[in-house]
Every structure is written in structure tokens, then in C-alpha cells.
Amino acid sequence: MRKKILILNEEIYKLREQGFTYQKITQYFNNKGIKVSSETIRKRCKKIYQEKGKREPDLKVGRKKVIQIPDEEIYKLREQGLSYEKIVQYFNNKGIKVSSATIRKRCKNIYQEKGKKEPKACINLPDEEIYKLREQGFTYQKITQYFNNKGIKVKIGIIRKRCKKIYQEKGKREPDLKVGRKKVIQMQDEEIYQLRQDGLSYRKITQYFNNKGIKVSSETIRNRCKNIYQKKIEEKPDLKVGRKKVIQIPDEEIYKLREQGLSYEKIAQYFYKKGMKVSFATIRIRCKRMYQEKASDYKNKKSDKTSLADLEKKLQELKEKKEKSGELLEEYVELKEKYEQLRKQQGKKEEEK
């Protein structure tokens, strides 16, 4: 048996750092009489770089020499406030091809190794310029486009945050958005809710508002419905798209079935057999709401009964006191009369003596 020859990690690492591809490293060891596959070398490289906490270099297969970008150079550029895109442009101008994703990963690893927090890219956006554009009726999207056209790459989220901050600092109310020249018309939650309860699909509700001159998408209506029903702790109604009417299930009927001991699934099956499609989740939410309402009603009634009983008790006590007072008054009158009679009699006896 041939003796197994071990390949040292450090030797593989040095070859990889010198720009050797997996294929070249495989050939290198094969030429030394050490049989190994490219796949084994690939796996060993991945493990080595993971253990070192470093990013494996991006190598190009060919005769061209791989140009390594020093970590320190990337670090200095990032510290100067350059974005990933600006750093990519910097290296591309030097003839070094690299992607934004690579720079982003390299930056992440560099700052992790240094134990520092990576700074955000410095975007030179004058507050006063943003403020003037906003006051002119520019939307966040329009302001974003304005700066992008000037060569300043910025996202709509940053513009929105900057606007909020600017108006807070000025102590002013930010103007309502205008899309084009038309003012945005707000849709009331209650109106959307009633349309949904009436059995209208998202598409129908969208058409309803579009016919009123309010431009809105079905996706917006769907999200608004979701938020509305979450606030109301209700399940959105299961609607059938077509000419069929949506069948509403009375709360009392669900309550009776639940009181009979039926599970949510059994109640759903019961209505399904009656041609009413409803999920067990809907039944669960409806039951929860009903029992909360009934518990509240019971508590209120109990409170009312207790109050009434207390009043009756107090009235009875006062009545008894009143009666006792009347009896004492009569007794007092009788005693007083007897006292007067006895005193007169005694006075007469003394006079006779």
C-alpha cells in the first residue's frame, strides 16, 4: 500500500493567494506525485478561508494575472464616505474589474476584522435644496429622480427620511403629496370596509374608486383590506368572483353550533355542506369575537344586577329604621303622658298635706 501524503493547508493557502486556480493547484500537487482532484482542492480552500475568517480571492482563469485589491485601500475609500458603486468605479478606472457585490462583501469582512462599525456612504444632499423642491410640490419619487439625474445616487427612502427631519427642524407641516398636478384623494377605511363587506372583490373595489376619479391599484386595496380587518380583529370575508352573491353566516348560528361542542373544523364542514365556503380560521376568529362580546355583556348585566340589589337592600334598611323611629316616637309620647300624670298626682298629694 502507498503511503498517504498529506497536503498542508498553509501550502494550499499560499498557492491560492498567489492567484492559482483550483485547476492549477491540482496540477501543482499532481506534478509532485500527489494525486488529488480539483473538487477536493476547492473544498479545502473554502474551509481554509472560513477558518482564517477571510474572503477567498476572485480569480480569473486564463493567462492574465489576477490583480489583488488590498483591504487597506478599500478601507480608506470607504472611510472617506464612498459608496460601493463609487469604489467600484474607482477600481474600474484603474483597470481593475470588480463588482459592487464583491466590494460590499469585502467591506463587511474588513470592518468585522477591525471590530468597527461600517460607516454609511456620504451623500451630499443639501437640506435647503430638498426643502425647496418639496415646497414646489415634488414627490419623494420626483426628488429622487432629480438628484439621480444630477449624478447623485440616492434612494427614495433616504429622501423621505430627510424631508421628515427637515420639516421637524423647521417646525412646519410637510405639504400633502401631489401626483402630477392633481391632489391625492384619501380613501376612508370605513368606505373600503363596507364595500368589502358587501361582497365586492379587490378588483371591483378598485374599479369603484377609479370611477370616482381616485387612481388606485388592486394591490393597494388588498393591503388596505388586510390592515382594516386586522384592526377590527375580523377575518376578511371569503368572496366568490362572479355573479354569485356572497352568503353571510349569522353569528348566532355559529354560536349555537359552538355551544353544542362542535370544533372550528366541524363548524366549517357544516356550512360547507350547506354550500357556504368558509375556513376554520374564519370560524375561529368569529367565535373569539362573539364570546368576547357576550362576556362583556354578561359582566355589564351582572354589574347592573349587583347595583340594583344593593339599592334594594339599602332601601329596606332605611325603611326598617324609619319604622323603628316611628315606634320609638309613639313610646316616647306614651311615657311622657304617664310622666305628666304622675307628676300632677304627686303635686296634689303634697298640697293636701
Side-chain angles (χ1 to χ4, degrees):
M1 289 181 68
R2 286 184 181 182
K3 188 177 179 181
K4 190 175 180 181
I5 302 171
L6 294 175
I7 301 172
L8 297 175
N9 284 347
E10 202 58 27
E11 192 172 4
I12 296 172
Y13 175 70
K14 284 180 181 178
L15 293 169
R16 190 64 173 162
E17 284 294 291
Q18 290 169 20
F20 276 55
T21 64
Y22 302 137
Q23 185 64 39
K24 290 287 185 183
I25 296 172
T26 304
Q27 288 176 3
Y28 169 85
F29 284 111
N30 287 344
N31 292 338
K32 288 179 70 175
I34 303 170
K35 295 294 179 182
V36 65
S37 67
S38 294
E39 181 62 21
T40 300
I41 291 296
R42 186 185 68 80
K43 289 179 180 178
R44 288 283 294 276
C45 284
K46 300 292 179 191
K47 185 178 179 182
I48 290 164
Y49 278 90
Q50 281 179 353
E51 289 173 351
K52 287 182 177 290
K54 293 184 69 177
R55 188 182 181 279
E56 194 174 351
D58 294 321
L59 305 181
K60 293 183 179 180
V61 179
R63 293 184 180 180
K64 291 183 180 179
K65 187 179 178 181
V66 177
I67 302 170
Q68 297 292 333
I69 302 173
D71 284 351
E72 202 57 36
E73 190 171 5
I74 296 172
Y75 174 71
K76 285 180 181 178
L77 293 170
R78 189 63 174 163
E79 283 291 296
Q80 290 169 19
L82 270 69
S83 64
Y84 301 135
E85 291 78 9
K86 290 288 183 183
I87 295 172
V88 169
Q89 287 177 9
Y90 168 84
F91 286 113
N92 286 347
N93 293 336
K94 290 177 69 176
I96 303 171
K97 296 293 180 184
V98 65
S99 67
S100 295
T102 300
I103 291 297
R104 183 178 61 79
K105 290 178 182 177
R106 289 283 295 275
C107 285
K108 184 179 179 181
N109 291 333
I110 290 165
Y111 279 91
Q112 280 181 347
E113 287 175 2
K114 289 182 178 290
K116 291 181 67 178
K117 185 179 179 181
E118 186 178 356
K120 291 182 179 179
C122 180
I123 302 170
N124 187 21
L125 297 174
D127 283 352
E128 203 56 38
E129 192 170 3
I130 296 171
Y131 174 70
K132 284 180 181 178
L133 292 169
R134 190 65 173 159
E135 284 293 296
Q136 290 169 20
F138 276 54
T139 63
Y140 301 138
Q141 183 65 41
K142 289 288 184 183
I143 296 173
T144 304
Q145 288 175 2
Y146 169 83
F147 284 109
N148 287 343
N149 292 338
K150 287 180 70 175
I152 302 171
K153 296 293 180 184
V154 64
K155 293 181 179 179
I156 192 170
I158 292 172
I159 292 295
R160 184 181 61 78
K161 288 178 182 178
R162 288 288 290 275
C163 285
K164 301 292 180 192
K165 184 181 177 183
I166 290 164
Y167 278 90
Q168 280 179 354
E169 288 174 354
K170 288 182 178 288
K172 292 183 68 178
R173 186 178 179 276
E174 192 173 355
D176 294 329
L177 294 181
K178 293 181 180 180
V179 180
R181 293 183 180 178
K182 293 180 181 178
K183 191 176 180 181
V184 176
I185 302 170
Q186 297 295 332
M187 295 177 294
Q188 299 299 322
D189 283 352
E190 201 56 36
E191 189 174 7
I192 297 171
Y193 174 72
Q194 289 301 329
L195 292 170
R196 189 65 174 164
Q197 286 295 104
D198 291 342
L200 270 69
S201 64
Y202 302 136
R203 185 174 60 83
K204 290 287 186 184
I205 297 172
T206 303
Q207 287 176 357
Y208 167 83
F209 284 110
N210 287 344
N211 292 338
K212 288 178 68 176
I214 303 172
K215 295 296 179 184
V216 65
S217 66
S218 295
E219 183 64 18
T220 299
I221 292 296
R222 186 183 68 80
N223 290 334
R224 286 287 292 275
C225 285
K226 183 180 178 182
N227 292 331
I228 291 165
Y229 279 91
Q230 280 179 346
K231 287 177 184 177
K232 290 180 177 288
I233 319 175
E234 291 183 29
E235 181 76 4
K236 295 190 295 296
D238 294 322
L239 306 180
K240 294 182 180 181
V241 179
R243 295 183 179 179
K244 293 183 179 179
K245 189 179 178 182
V246 177
I247 303 169
Q248 297 292 339
I249 302 171
D251 283 351
E252 203 56 40
E253 193 170 0
I254 296 172
Y255 178 73
K256 285 179 181 177
L257 293 169
R258 187 65 176 162
E259 284 294 293
Q260 292 170 19
L262 271 69
S263 65
Y264 303 135
E265 290 81 359
K266 290 288 185 184
I267 296 172
Q269 288 173 10
Y270 168 85
F271 286 112
Y272 182 80
K273 289 176 183 178
K274 291 179 70 175
M276 302 178 191
K277 288 188 177 179
V278 63
S279 67
F280 82 91
T282 300
I283 296 296
R284 180 178 60 79
I285 291 170
R286 292 277 295 275
C287 285
K288 182 180 178 182
R289 178 174 56 79
M290 279 187 288
Y291 277 90
Q292 281 178 344
E293 289 173 356
K294 288 183 181 293
S296 179
D297 291 343
Y298 173 76
K299 187 177 180 181
N300 291 335
K301 287 178 182 177
K302 188 177 179 182
S303 177
D304 291 343
K305 285 180 180 178
T306 305
S307 299
L308 185 62
D310 287 342
L311 285 171
E312 288 178 354
K313 186 177 179 182
K314 286 180 180 179
L315 283 170
Q316 185 63 33
E317 288 175 354
L318 289 170
K319 186 180 177 182
E320 288 176 357
K321 285 180 180 179
K322 185 180 177 183
E323 289 175 352
K324 284 181 179 178
S325 297
E327 290 174 0
L328 288 171
L329 181 61
E330 289 177 1
E331 188 175 349
Y332 169 77
V333 171
E334 289 179 1
L335 287 171
K336 189 176 180 182
E337 287 177 354
K338 286 182 180 180
Y339 169 77
E340 291 294 336
Q341 287 175 1
L342 288 172
R343 196 179 67 161
K344 285 178 181 180
Q345 288 174 4
Q346 191 172 357
K348 284 180 181 182
K349 286 180 180 180
E350 289 177 356
E351 287 177 359
E352 290 176 356
K353 287 182 181 179

XYZ file of all heavy atoms in Angstrom, residues 220-251:
269
model
N -52.997 47.761 -3.734
C -53.185 48.730 -2.636
C -54.457 48.418 -1.862
O -54.476 48.449 -0.626
C -53.274 50.166 -3.206
O -52.048 50.464 -3.887
C -53.495 51.188 -2.099
N -55.533 48.100 -2.604
C -56.811 47.761 -1.961
C -56.658 46.500 -1.112
O -57.175 46.417 0.015
C -57.914 47.570 -3.029
C -58.241 48.897 -3.720
C -59.170 46.955 -2.420
C -58.822 49.965 -2.825
N -55.947 45.532 -1.628
C -55.747 44.274 -0.890
C -55.021 44.543 0.428
O -55.425 44.041 1.497
C -54.937 43.293 -1.738
C -54.805 41.901 -1.117
C -53.928 41.003 -1.960
N -52.550 41.466 -1.918
C -51.718 41.210 -0.914
N -52.124 40.527 0.140
N -50.473 41.639 -0.940
N -53.949 45.350 0.364
C -53.184 45.670 1.581
C -54.018 46.478 2.572
O -53.945 46.247 3.784
C -51.920 46.450 1.209
C -50.900 45.599 0.484
O -50.864 44.387 0.645
N -50.084 46.219 -0.350
N -54.821 47.441 2.045
C -55.673 48.239 2.926
C -56.702 47.354 3.627
O -56.968 47.510 4.825
C -56.381 49.329 2.111
C -55.487 50.481 1.677
C -55.122 51.407 2.825
N -56.249 52.158 3.323
C -56.680 53.305 2.815
N -56.057 53.840 1.778
N -57.709 53.957 3.344
N -57.295 46.415 2.884
C -58.285 45.489 3.470
C -57.646 44.659 4.569
O -58.230 44.464 5.640
C -58.861 44.570 2.390
S -60.060 45.376 1.307
N -56.448 44.175 4.311
C -55.745 43.353 5.296
C -55.543 44.124 6.597
O -55.821 43.617 7.693
C -54.387 42.926 4.730
C -53.603 42.004 5.642
C -52.275 41.627 5.002
C -51.462 40.747 5.951
N -50.137 40.401 5.357
N -55.084 45.396 6.484
C -54.858 46.222 7.674
C -56.160 46.547 8.405
O -56.218 46.537 9.634
C -54.159 47.528 7.272
C -52.743 47.296 6.790
O -52.092 46.348 7.207
N -52.251 48.153 5.914
N -57.217 46.819 7.621
C -58.519 47.177 8.211
C -59.065 46.022 9.032
O -59.509 46.200 10.173
C -59.527 47.580 7.112
C -59.119 48.920 6.472
C -60.950 47.665 7.672
C -59.808 49.219 5.164
N -59.035 44.819 8.476
C -59.590 43.656 9.178
C -58.732 43.250 10.368
O -59.234 42.714 11.358
C -59.777 42.499 8.204
C -61.052 42.627 7.394
C -61.071 43.280 6.164
C -62.255 42.123 7.876
C -62.246 43.421 5.428
C -63.430 42.258 7.153
C -63.420 42.912 5.932
O -64.585 43.053 5.232
N -57.420 43.502 10.291
C -56.549 43.223 11.434
C -56.897 44.153 12.597
O -56.931 43.733 13.756
C -55.084 43.414 11.042
C -54.501 42.225 10.282
C -53.054 42.452 9.887
O -52.537 43.554 9.942
N -52.396 41.390 9.462
N -57.156 45.435 12.279
C -57.529 46.402 13.317
C -58.865 46.037 13.958
O -59.080 46.221 15.152
C -57.620 47.803 12.719
C -56.267 48.418 12.392
C -56.448 49.778 11.727
C -55.117 50.382 11.305
N -55.303 51.668 10.593
N -59.788 45.529 13.148
C -61.121 45.181 13.645
C -61.156 43.786 14.267
O -62.193 43.330 14.761
C -62.142 45.246 12.500
C -62.433 46.662 12.003
C -63.443 46.651 10.866
C -63.802 48.054 10.420
N -64.650 48.763 11.391
N -60.018 43.072 14.209
C -59.917 41.688 14.697
C -60.998 40.839 14.019
O -61.739 40.106 14.662
C -60.032 41.581 16.234
C -59.263 42.714 16.909
C -59.488 40.251 16.716
C -59.427 42.760 18.417
N -61.109 40.980 12.715
C -62.064 40.203 11.937
C -61.337 39.518 10.789
O -60.283 39.969 10.352
C -63.152 41.104 11.342
C -64.105 41.683 12.364
C -65.202 42.499 11.702
O -65.553 42.193 10.562
O -65.695 43.439 12.342
N -61.906 38.438 10.318
C -61.384 37.739 9.146
C -62.024 38.334 7.903
O -63.223 38.603 7.875
C -61.736 36.240 9.235
C -61.221 35.402 8.067
C -59.734 35.117 8.156
O -59.120 35.506 9.155
O -59.208 34.515 7.217
N -61.193 38.565 6.879
C -61.755 39.076 5.623
C -62.765 38.075 5.088
O -62.523 36.861 5.124
C -60.657 39.279 4.572
C -59.640 40.358 4.915
C -58.743 40.683 3.753
C -57.863 39.536 3.365
N -56.913 39.155 4.385
N -63.904 38.525 4.569
C -64.905 37.595 4.044
C -64.388 36.825 2.840
O -63.632 37.347 2.035
C -66.070 38.519 3.647
C -65.448 39.859 3.455
C -64.309 39.928 4.422
N -64.763 35.533 2.755
C -64.412 34.720 1.594
C -65.375 35.080 0.474
O -66.570 34.786 0.549
C -64.532 33.219 1.920
C -63.503 32.813 2.969
O -62.381 33.324 2.896
O -63.839 31.994 3.834
N -64.842 35.709 -0.564
C -65.687 36.196 -1.643
C -65.541 35.328 -2.880
O -64.447 34.864 -3.199
C -65.308 37.639 -2.001
C -65.308 38.635 -0.831
C -64.918 40.004 -1.327
C -66.674 38.683 -0.186
N -66.629 35.117 -3.563
C -66.625 34.386 -4.830
C -66.621 35.398 -5.962
O -67.446 36.303 -5.995
C -67.855 33.483 -4.947
C -67.871 32.355 -3.925
C -69.077 31.476 -4.122
C -69.101 30.341 -3.105
N -70.258 29.465 -3.285
N -65.674 35.232 -6.889
C -65.596 36.141 -8.012
C -66.575 35.659 -9.074
O -66.499 34.534 -9.550
C -64.161 36.168 -8.597
C -64.092 37.104 -9.786
C -63.167 36.570 -7.530
N -67.507 36.490 -9.442
C -68.518 36.112 -10.425
C -69.833 36.768 -10.076
O -69.876 37.772 -9.373
N -70.919 36.169 -10.558
C -72.237 36.753 -10.320
C -72.904 36.216 -9.067
O -73.971 36.665 -8.693
C -73.139 36.476 -11.525
C -72.651 37.171 -12.801
C -73.601 36.921 -13.932
N -73.165 37.596 -15.148
C -73.804 37.520 -16.301
N -74.917 36.800 -16.396
N -73.347 38.146 -17.373
N -72.252 35.226 -8.433
C -72.866 34.640 -7.239
C -72.780 35.606 -6.068
O -71.773 36.260 -5.852
C -72.171 33.328 -6.873
C -72.411 32.229 -7.908
C -71.760 30.952 -7.446
C -71.994 29.814 -8.439
N -71.355 28.575 -8.021
N -73.833 35.666 -5.307
C -73.901 36.555 -4.148
C -73.137 35.947 -2.976
O -73.178 34.747 -2.751
C -75.363 36.770 -3.757
C -75.552 37.853 -2.707
C -77.013 38.026 -2.385
C -77.223 39.074 -1.312
N -78.628 39.218 -0.959
N -72.418 36.766 -2.247
C -71.708 36.290 -1.064
C -72.706 36.005 0.048
O -73.540 36.843 0.374
C -70.679 37.354 -0.586
C -69.991 36.879 0.678
C -69.667 37.629 -1.682
N -72.619 34.806 0.622
C -73.565 34.394 1.671
C -72.957 34.710 3.030
O -71.890 34.202 3.374
C -73.887 32.887 1.550
C -74.448 32.580 0.166
C -74.866 32.468 2.644
C -74.540 31.106 -0.137
N -73.618 35.567 3.773
C -73.156 35.916 5.112
C -73.688 34.903 6.124
O -74.848 34.529 6.094
C -73.650 37.324 5.483
C -73.098 38.423 4.579
C -71.608 38.633 4.765
O -71.050 38.262 5.798
N -70.976 39.201 3.770
N -72.823 34.471 7.011
C -73.211 33.498 8.033
C -73.529 34.242 9.323
O -72.672 34.942 9.861
C -72.075 32.475 8.277
C -71.724 31.760 6.965
C -72.472 31.477 9.352
C -70.481 30.914 7.060
N -74.758 34.108 9.838
C -75.144 34.810 11.070
C -74.315 34.359 12.273
O -74.036 33.159 12.428
C -76.618 34.434 11.257
C -77.065 33.906 9.941
C -75.856 33.295 9.294
N -73.949 35.296 13.114
C -73.177 34.983 14.324
C -73.904 33.994 15.220
O -73.302 33.079 15.793
C -72.905 36.274 15.118
C -71.789 37.102 14.503
O -71.140 36.583 13.575
O -71.577 38.239 14.947
